[in-house]
Amino acid sequence: MAPDTNDLRGPCPGLNTLANHGFLPRDGKGLNVSIILDASLKGYNLQSEVIIVPAKLGLLTTNNPSSFTLDDIKLHGTIEHDASLSREDLALGDNVHFNETIFSTLANSNPGSDFYDVASAGKVQQLRLEDSETRNPFNNTNTEKEIGIRSGESALYLSVMGDPVTGKAPKEFVQIFFREERLPIAEGWHRPETPISLATRNPLVQSITEASNWTSSGGCPVIILDP
Ligand code: HEM
Ligand code: MG
């Protein structure tokens, strides 16, 4: 179900989708670590070992001591970063809502194939970073922290929409996931049979980072600790 006017959504297509399907509270509020771990397992067969750290970081994005909302997690510099796949840099505008112009780099990647893979995902990250550096030269942050999160997110869209072992995901599924924030069940998607674990995710992250030809723009990694 699409969100109601009072429902909160945020910069994460993975969590927005879980809320749109009722695995997370549809209002996007009252989230905590166990609620996120439970929904990730039910919706995506995603093991808690993969998602517990971002789930904990979610609590830093609010002054509420025990819960956060899907909107809170937009706090720039905790998890949210520049050069996103489907959202604008904060300094250039809206870092929360889906942006088709930004997403076109990913949408049009890997021409001639029906799949995205670690090579295309790495190339997309490279292009998104170049665009961010060109248009947002004074506010772009790009350290080891950001590449770790960005490659982790790319590994997640390949894993939840495709095969967590090979890292190949049908383009149609990935595009529906980002554009509509729904599970493409009607199109033939099903929850991955292979549990998404650190053992499946870490090799994908490594291959994606290698394929992205990444270098740091300098500066120390910083985690913003509160709003
Ligand atoms: C971004 C997937 C869980 C917080 C993203 C992106 C993907 C993704 C693919 C990149 C979006 C883009 O670059 O445009 C997932 C999946 C999850 C999940 C499949 C499984 C449940 C989480 C958790 C948190 C979180 C547990 C924290 C509570 C974020 C935030 C962003 C994000 C703040 C924005 C980063 C940015 O692009 O600037 N997620 N995620 N995600 N995710 Fe998640
Ligand atoms: Mg961002």
Side-chain angles (χ1 to χ4, degrees):
M1 280 164 50
D4 224 327
T5 41
N6 292 324
D7 295 340
L8 298 179
R9 296 292 181 266
C12 174
L15 297 179
N16 291 349
T17 300
L18 290 176
N20 290 340
H21 284 267
F23 291 109
L24 285 175
R26 289 189 185 273
D27 64 6
K29 300 171 192 169
L31 308 176
N32 61 38
V33 174
S34 1
I35 290 174
I36 297 276
L37 298 184
D38 189 51
S40 303
L41 184 63
K42 285 192 178 125
Y44 299 130
N45 204 3
L46 187 49
Q47 307 297 293
S48 55
E49 62 181 25
V50 179
I51 218 69
I52 191 166
V53 172
K56 288 178 180 175
L57 287 173
L59 281 167
L60 296 180
T61 65
T62 170
N63 288 322
N64 184 315
S66 56
S67 77
F68 59 95
T69 73
L70 288 182
D71 176 69
D72 288 332
I73 61 175
K74 70 186 177 197
L75 185 67
H76 185 63
T78 304
I79 304 169
E80 201 281 319
H81 52 78
D82 298 316
S84 295
L85 303 169
S86 66
R87 270 73 171 165
E88 184 58 282
D89 286 6
L90 176 63
L92 300 177
D94 180 354
N95 67 334
V96 176
H97 296 97
F98 176 80
N99 178 320
E100 182 66 42
T101 307
I102 301 283
F103 183 64
S104 64
T105 304
L106 169 47
N108 297 328
S109 66
N110 218 18
S113 168
D114 293 333
F115 292 84
Y116 300 121
D117 58 21
V118 291
S120 69
K123 184 74 193 163
V124 169
Q125 285 186 193
Q126 182 176 12
L127 292 170
R128 287 294 309 118
L129 184 59
E130 284 168 12
D131 178 57
S132 177
E133 282 170 338
T134 304
R135 294 188 300 115
N136 187 19
F138 304 117
N139 285 298
N140 174 289
T141 304
N142 171 44
T143 73
E144 289 80 359
K145 177 198 160 195
E146 283 74 28
I147 187 62
I149 296 177
R150 292 170 61 226
S151 294
E153 291 164 352
S154 293
L156 277 181
Y157 79 72
L158 292 173
S159 297
V160 299
M161 287 296 115
D163 183 333
V165 176
T166 63
K168 280 171 66 110
K171 286 183 173 178
E172 185 188 17
F173 295 174
V174 172
Q175 291 178 17
I176 289 169
F177 172 76
F178 275 96
R179 288 191 175 119
E180 303 177 40
E181 298 185 333
R182 71 170 170 90
L183 301 171
I185 297 163
E187 289 78 10
W189 176 90
H190 57 81
R191 180 176 179 266
E193 274 149 27
T194 311
I196 302 167
S197 62
L198 291 177
T200 66
R201 192 207 55 166
N202 289 350
L204 301 184
V205 171
Q206 197 184 335
S207 302
I208 292 165
T209 299
E210 279 166 19
S212 75
N213 286 312
W214 179 81
T215 51
S216 171
S217 306
C220 294
V222 170
I223 296 180
I224 298 299
L225 299 178
D226 60 15

